[in-house]
Amino acid sequence: AEIFQEFAVQEESVTFRINLSVLLDCLTIFGTGSLPGTSTALRMCYRGYGYPLMLFLEEGGVVTVCKINTQEPDELLDFDFCSTKVVNKIILQSEGLREAFAELDMTSEVLQITMSPDKPYFRLSTFGNAGSAHVDYPKDSDLMEAFHCNQTQTNRYKISLLKPSTKALALSCKVSIRTDAQGFLSLQYMIRNEDGQICFVEYYCCPDEDITEGEL
């Protein structure tokens, strides 16, 4: 709420679904970049169930009003990911993860993540058309902000499910990587906006398959 100039929600929570491409079209109705010395102001209003989401966009004295029909929300998938159940946690400067994704073979179907209190500490692996690739981070790396690993875990996650999170990675300055005992993955990206305010974008992903010792 702190990143908004005004934030008022009368109910405890409000949930609805809207078409993402329509929302993006509305947000960029003045173009993707503002003219020098100008900025686009946004006001969002929602009267309640059955009403559209109202967007008021103002730039240079011109106001555009958009109404987006709301839809019934899908039931949210609850991973039941609780901080008290976290087994391993690493906080990494986002620069390090961006470089790793650039070096790894994204033709691989899975990204294998190893977190361990001992070597290799934190390893990212892919298995693509050009062969296997690994990127290792020692726990005392300059890119490592925090390292709290209690046990060795190796899990694989579908790259197709992780790719959408790279948009948040590109904007972030730090990323928290956590896993629980079942191997569920939490990626929490810390993003600092133009005013220096901080917000977080979180992604959750279930492990793709069990890894046997013979595959490691």
Side-chain angles (χ1 to χ4, degrees):
E2 289 75 19
I3 70 171
F4 297 94
Q5 292 179 342
E6 295 181 20
F7 187 88
V9 177
Q10 307 301 325
E11 302 177 29
E12 184 174 332
S13 67
V14 178
T15 306
F16 53 84
R17 188 174 69 175
I18 56 175
N19 185 294
L20 179 60
S21 60
V22 172
L23 174 64
L24 294 176
D25 286 343
C26 293
L27 293 176
T28 55
I29 202 162
F30 287 110
T32 55
S34 298
L35 296 174
T38 65
S39 61
T40 304
L42 168 67
R43 181 181 181 90
M44 290 190 295
C45 301
Y46 178 63
R47 289 186 61 183
Y49 182 80
Y51 286 92
L53 176 68
M54 302 280 290
L55 302 182
F56 299 84
L57 296 104
E58 186 271 335
E59 182 177 304
V62 178
V63 178
T64 297
V65 181
C66 304
K67 296 181 181 180
I68 304 177
N69 289 333
T70 55
Q71 304 167 350
E72 290 286 345
D74 290 332
E75 185 176 348
L76 293 178
L77 180 62
D78 186 2
F79 282 102
D80 192 29
F81 193 98
C82 179
S83 59
T84 58
K85 299 178 183 178
V86 169
V87 174
N88 293 320
K89 177 181 178 180
I90 288 172
I91 299 178
L92 192 69
Q93 292 183 22
S94 296
E95 173 190 349
L97 200 57
R98 286 194 290 266
E99 290 177 352
F101 281 177
E103 294 176 15
L104 293 169
D105 188 348
M106 287 298 136
T107 63
S108 174
E109 290 188 3
V110 296
L111 173 68
Q112 182 171 292
I113 299 178
T114 299
M115 303 171 76
S116 172
D118 304 304
K119 287 186 177 181
Y121 301 113
F122 181 53
R123 168 175 285 183
L124 302 175
S125 307
T126 53
F127 313 92
N129 298 335
S132 301
H134 307 284
V135 176
D136 292 349
Y137 297 87
K139 64 179 180 180
D140 57 355
S141 167
D142 292 339
L143 296 171
M144 195 74 70
E145 296 271 337
F147 182 88
H148 304 288
C149 288
N150 299 304
Q151 69 182 55
T152 299
Q153 284 184 309
T154 298
N155 294 288
R156 290 180 178 177
Y157 306 91
K158 286 189 180 297
I159 283 185
S160 60
L161 298 178
L162 294 177
K163 275 186 177 178
S165 75
T166 58
K167 294 181 179 180
L169 173 63
L171 299 172
S172 66
C173 52
K174 297 179 184 180
V175 55
S176 168
I177 304 165
R178 300 179 296 167
T179 53
D180 66 9
Q182 284 71 45
F184 280 93
L185 175 69
S186 163
L187 296 174
Q188 186 182 67
Y189 297 104
M190 189 178 89
I191 298 174
R192 184 177 285 110
N193 67 14
E194 294 176 353
D195 297 325
Q197 296 167 316
I198 291 174
C199 57
F200 295 91
V201 176
E202 287 186 299
Y203 284 82
Y204 296 96
C205 189
C206 61
D208 183 44
E209 57 187 69
D210 294 328
I211 309 299
T212 64
E213 290 188 8
E215 292 181 278
L216 300 180

